[in-house]
């Protein structure tokens, strides 16, 4: 019995997503996104968890955004409980791109403070996109517990997330500027400087924060 052409195309695309060649996987993901089919969703999500190439993961995310959110969002939320860090991170990234508010309750404090920097950064970006109106201050308070965390890219991601929440961050930053953790104090000053002057750049804000700390002026402005 001959397999219908539609089923043959689905099978070919699914096999392409597992091909050893990254260019083949990229083309397969593009094909899946171009002709969405609910039968692809599970494989796309599974592949996101293990795909080693960033540009292929990006195409997998794009392909998922092309499918109905009623199908993708529940599957991605399930993935947030995975023990594999990349699975959690990529699911969060994809949820931020889909922007469906039904995903908000799944952005837990545990994800926002995840031990893996990539997961946490993805959670911060997703949270800023999905946070309901009126809950920005509560989110900012959780994000502020991560001030001083990680290297430059992680700190810059957190600063951007906080700034995106708007004016509600200012009292939280001022409190952090006088807190007991020197790394958090410094990062809070950097973020406050970027809030005041977004064009200054992160490195300039870091140097300005160092100067203020040295002068003992942290938290005295405003």
């Amino acid at each position: 019995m001959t397999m219908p052409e539609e089923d043959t195309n689905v099978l070919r695309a699914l096999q392409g997503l597992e091909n050893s060649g990254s260019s083949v996987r990229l083309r397969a993901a593009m094909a899946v996104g171009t002709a969405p089919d609910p039968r692809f969703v599970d494989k796309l999500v599974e592949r996101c968890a293990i795909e080693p190439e960033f540009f292929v993961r990006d195409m997998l995310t794009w392909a998922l955004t092309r499918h109905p959110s009623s199908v993708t969002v529940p599957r991605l939320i399930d993935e947030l409980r995975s023990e594999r860090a990349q699975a959690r991170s990529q699911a969060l990234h994809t949820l931020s791109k889909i922007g469906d508010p039904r995903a908000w309750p799944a952005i837990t404090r545990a994800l926002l403070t995840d031990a893996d920097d990539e997961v946490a950064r993805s959670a911060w970006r997703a949270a800023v996109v999905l946070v309901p109106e009126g809950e920005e201050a509560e989110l900012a308070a959780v994000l502020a517990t991560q001030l001083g965390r990680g290297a430059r890219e992680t700190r810059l991601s957190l600063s951007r997330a906080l700034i995106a929440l708007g004016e509600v961050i200012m009292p939280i930053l001022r409190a952090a500027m006088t807190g007991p953790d020197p790394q958090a104090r410094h990062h809070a000053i950097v973020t406050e400087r970027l809030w005041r002057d977004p064009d200054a750049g992160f490195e300039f804000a870091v140097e300005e924060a160092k100067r203020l700390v040295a002068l003992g002026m942290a938290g005295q402005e405003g």
Side-chain angles (χ1 to χ4, degrees), residues 106-121:
I107 312 301
T108 61
R109 187 186 186 99
L111 288 169
L112 294 168
T113 61
D114 197 285
D116 185 278
D117 284 347
E118 282 303 314
V119 175
R121 289 172 62 188

Side-chain angles (χ1 to χ4, degrees), residues 207-219:
E207 293 305 315
E208 180 71 1
K210 288 179 182 176
R211 184 181 70 82
L212 289 174
V213 170
L215 293 172
M217 297 171 61

Side-chain angles (χ1 to χ4, degrees), residues 28-64:
M30 186 181 298
V32 168
T34 303
D37 185 314
R39 289 175 289 181
F40 292 134
V41 170
D42 279 347
K43 178 58 69 176
L44 288 170
V45 173
E46 289 169 11
R47 190 67 213 175
C48 281
I50 60 175
E51 172 56 51
E53 299 292 346
F54 170 79
F55 62 92
V56 179
R57 291 200 302 273
D58 221 33
M59 189 63 72
L60 292 168
T61 283
W62 173 78
L64 282 164

Side-chain angles (χ1 to χ4, degrees), residues 3-216:
M3 183 180 294
E5 182 180 353
E6 182 184 354
D7 290 340
T8 302
N9 292 338
V10 169
L11 181 60
R12 186 180 299 117
L14 293 175
Q15 290 174 338
L17 291 172
E18 296 182 340
N19 193 279
S20 60
S22 60
S23 61
V24 177
R25 298 196 303 275
L26 181 69
R27 288 196 298 271
M30 186 181 298
V32 168
T34 303
D37 185 314
R39 289 175 289 181
F40 292 134
V41 170
D42 279 347
K43 178 58 69 176
L44 288 170
V45 173
E46 289 169 11
R47 190 67 213 175
C48 281
I50 60 175
E51 172 56 51
E53 299 292 346
F54 170 79
F55 62 92
V56 179
R57 291 200 302 273
D58 221 33
M59 189 63 72
L60 292 168
T61 283
W62 173 78
L64 282 164
T65 67
R66 298 273 296 158
H67 289 75
S69 60
S70 59
V71 177
T72 58
V73 169
R75 181 66 181 82
L76 290 164
I77 288 174
D78 287 344
E79 198 74 351
L80 298 180
R81 294 188 286 270
S82 171
E83 293 183 2
R84 187 186 292 269
Q86 182 173 305
R88 300 195 303 278
S89 176
Q90 200 65 24
L92 286 161
H93 174 66
T94 306
L95 287 169
S96 74
K97 295 297 184 183
I98 293 171
D100 191 314
R102 289 175 295 179
W104 168 247
I107 312 301
T108 61
R109 187 186 186 99
L111 288 169
L112 294 168
T113 61
D114 197 285
D116 185 278
D117 284 347
E118 282 303 314
V119 175
R121 289 172 62 188
S122 296
W124 302 338
R125 290 190 291 266
V128 167
V129 170
L130 298 169
V131 62
E133 186 175 355
E135 296 188 32
E136 294 88 352
E138 185 177 348
L139 173 58
V142 177
L143 295 184
T145 67
Q146 303 301 291
L147 284 166
R149 170 179 175 165
R152 179 189 183 280
E153 288 305 314
T154 298
R155 295 190 182 197
L156 178 55
S157 290
L158 183 59
S159 292
R160 285 172 172 165
L162 283 164
I163 289 168
L165 293 175
E167 189 77 34
V168 298
I169 69 169
M170 296 312 292
I172 294 167
L173 289 180
R174 292 192 185 104
M177 287 180 199
T178 57
D181 183 344
Q183 294 292 327
R185 286 202 306 271
H186 181 267
H187 192 183
I189 298 168
V190 170
T191 305
E192 191 265 354
R193 282 295 177 265
L194 285 173
W195 161 261
R196 290 182 183 276
D197 186 5
D199 297 326
F202 188 73
E203 301 304 337
F204 177 84
V206 167
E207 293 305 315
E208 180 71 1
K210 288 179 182 176
R211 184 181 70 82
L212 289 174
V213 170
L215 293 172

